[in-house]
Amino acid sequence: MKVCVLPGDGIGPEIIAEAVRVLEALRSDGLKIEMEQALLGGGAVDATGTPYPEASQKLAREADAVLLGAVGGPKWDNLPRPQRPERGLLGIRKDLELFANLRPAILYPELVNASTLKPEVVAGLDILIVRELTGDIYFGEPRGIEQRDGQRVGWNTMIYSESEIRRIGKVAFEAARRRDKRVCSVDKMNVLETTQLWRDVMIELAADYPDVELSHMLVDNAAMQLVKAPKQFDVVVTGNMFGDILSDEASMLTGSIGMLPSASLDANNKGLYEPSHGSAPDIAGKGLANPLATILSAAMMLRYSFDNEAAAQRVETAVKKVLAQGLRTGDIWEEGTRRVGTREMGDAVLAAL
């Protein structure tokens, strides 16, 4: 299997390095995998003038999976919008037709006190958020900023087709069949026609999955329920913008966004795997970043794109063992545990592996 590795910006190169070490250890044990690095984001802009250069496109298209660190930073915030690092991320998602974003929010028992919510509210949390990734207001046209009646006006288009809704719904229902067989579809159908269609299609699709329970929730209520009673959810499926917001909210239930992996898949399970957090330029180069979300993203890659459940579980078990040993990066540290840096956490995972 061929992996395109995109370290990206900020802490990206540091956390990617640890995930690559884990994959190299598995390769020494017989995993057949090749890895090649390329540029994406701000570093790509600096080197080539574009956030998703042609060489990176070629490598990503030819690979079986893509492993990404993070992109962006204040250094590039004032560039023209097409040159900003985030355009590289949106570009690769669109280029590879990665329409399904899977973000698990799992609270490890050792980290229950790291959450800002009461232990009894979050203990045992295991949610999967399925976010549509290539449609909605992020990609809708027309869009822009222009002068109208002497003032600036900005506009975007929220749009979904029936086929887009149906295919992401199938991903959610299939995922629920492997879990607790419950899907909650999140929309805003009381004011948005786009999401009225979303709800209608989800109801129609549910007829194909009689073994899965379908419920519906308005997005504002869903945001409240995630912090009020998060364990009521199993699989949550929603559109691009709502999913972006809700998955970040869910990440903090686990104590740190530094613990959350993600997978973005196409119709054939080719995927882009990345931690849910950003590039954290304030700690870049200091060896402080938590690499566990990236290592767990590599485990998701082994599961979904490589269909190697044994290797995925081996990595996840190693992470659990390290947490049980009391090792913590700064974002999840508490009294009674041992604070370690990025490299030392990677060393511990390799030893546990």
Side-chain angles (χ1 to χ4, degrees), residues 167-187:
R167 70 176 181 176
I168 193 66
K170 287 181 178 179
V171 172
F173 278 100
E174 293 290 347
R177 277 183 164 170
R178 297 190 293 269
R179 294 170 52 92
D180 198 34
K181 295 183 171 60
R182 292 182 293 117
V183 171
C184 178
S185 176
V186 174
D187 57 45

Side-chain angles (χ1 to χ4, degrees), residues 12-310:
E14 300 166 67
I15 54 179
I16 278 289
E18 302 312 312
V20 166
R21 291 171 69 204
V22 168
L23 292 172
E24 288 174 339
L26 293 174
R27 182 169 60 189
S28 69
D29 285 349
L31 181 70
K32 295 180 180 180
I33 182 174
E34 298 176 10
M35 291 177 279
E36 186 174 346
Q37 293 198 8
L39 296 172
L40 185 81
V45 172
D46 291 345
T48 70
T50 178
Y52 184 34
E54 288 187 10
S56 302
Q57 293 178 32
K58 184 176 185 296
L59 186 62
R61 291 168 183 169
E62 293 173 350
D64 298 296
V66 179
L67 184 63
L68 170 66
V71 299
K75 176 182 177 181
W76 303 282
D77 283 350
N78 294 322
L79 289 176
R81 194 167 294 275
Q83 283 188 291
R84 293 182 188 176
E86 294 77 12
R87 287 290 174 172
L89 184 56
L90 293 175
I92 193 172
R93 288 172 179 172
K94 197 73 172 178
D95 183 37
L96 301 183
E97 298 182 356
L98 307 174
F99 71 92
N101 180 237
L102 278 58
R103 286 193 177 185
I106 300 171
L107 179 59
Y108 295 92
E110 296 83 5
L111 299 182
V112 67
N113 291 325
S115 175
T116 54
L117 298 186
K118 296 177 181 178
E120 59 268 27
V121 175
V122 290
L125 181 72
D126 185 350
I127 299 172
L128 178 64
I129 295 183
V130 179
R131 167 190 171 194
E132 201 288 325
L133 204 58
T134 57
D136 206 345
I137 201 166
Y138 289 1
F139 291 95
E141 296 287 351
R143 62 195 297 157
I145 300 174
E146 68 178 16
Q147 288 283 337
R148 295 182 187 176
D149 300 325
Q151 63 177 334
R152 287 173 295 171
V153 175
W155 78 98
N156 294 86
T157 303
M158 175 180 270
I159 184 170
Y160 267 123
S161 67
E162 180 178 359
S163 60
E164 288 177 309
I165 300 168
R166 191 172 297 276
R167 70 176 181 176
I168 193 66
K170 287 181 178 179
V171 172
F173 278 100
E174 293 290 347
R177 277 183 164 170
R178 297 190 293 269
R179 294 170 52 92
D180 198 34
K181 295 183 171 60
R182 292 182 293 117
V183 171
C184 178
S185 176
V186 174
D187 57 45
K188 190 64 176 172
M189 54 77 66
N190 56 336
V191 293
L192 296 172
E193 286 82 358
T194 307
T195 62
Q196 176 64 65
L197 176 63
W198 179 283
R199 181 173 293 203
D200 293 345
V201 173
M202 288 294 170
I203 291 171
E204 294 166 6
L205 186 59
D208 297 333
Y209 298 89
D211 54 324
V212 178
E213 174 190 331
L214 174 66
S215 62
H216 306 275
M217 194 172 290
L218 298 177
V219 64
D220 42 353
N221 186 32
M224 180 182 70
Q225 294 296 331
L226 271 174
V227 293
K228 180 182 179 182
K231 288 186 285 185
Q232 69 182 280
F233 298 107
D234 178 29
V235 174
V236 176
V237 62
T238 190
N240 204 345
M241 181 169 64
F242 296 161
D244 192 1
I245 297 166
L246 293 179
S247 58
D248 277 4
E249 181 188 11
S251 73
M252 292 313 300
L253 305 178
T254 67
S256 171
I257 199 169
M259 290 300 301
L260 266 71
S262 75
S264 302
L265 306 177
D266 72 2
N268 299 310
N269 280 348
K270 175 175 177 173
L272 183 149
Y273 300 86
E274 59 179 318
S276 295
H277 60 71
S279 61
D282 56 318
I283 61 169
K286 299 180 180 179
L288 301 176
N290 185 348
L292 293 182
T294 315
I295 292 171
L296 291 169
S297 295
M300 292 186 76
M301 179 178 71
L302 294 168
R303 173 173 292 116
Y304 290 101
S305 289
F306 293 2
D307 195 25
N308 193 330
E309 182 64 24

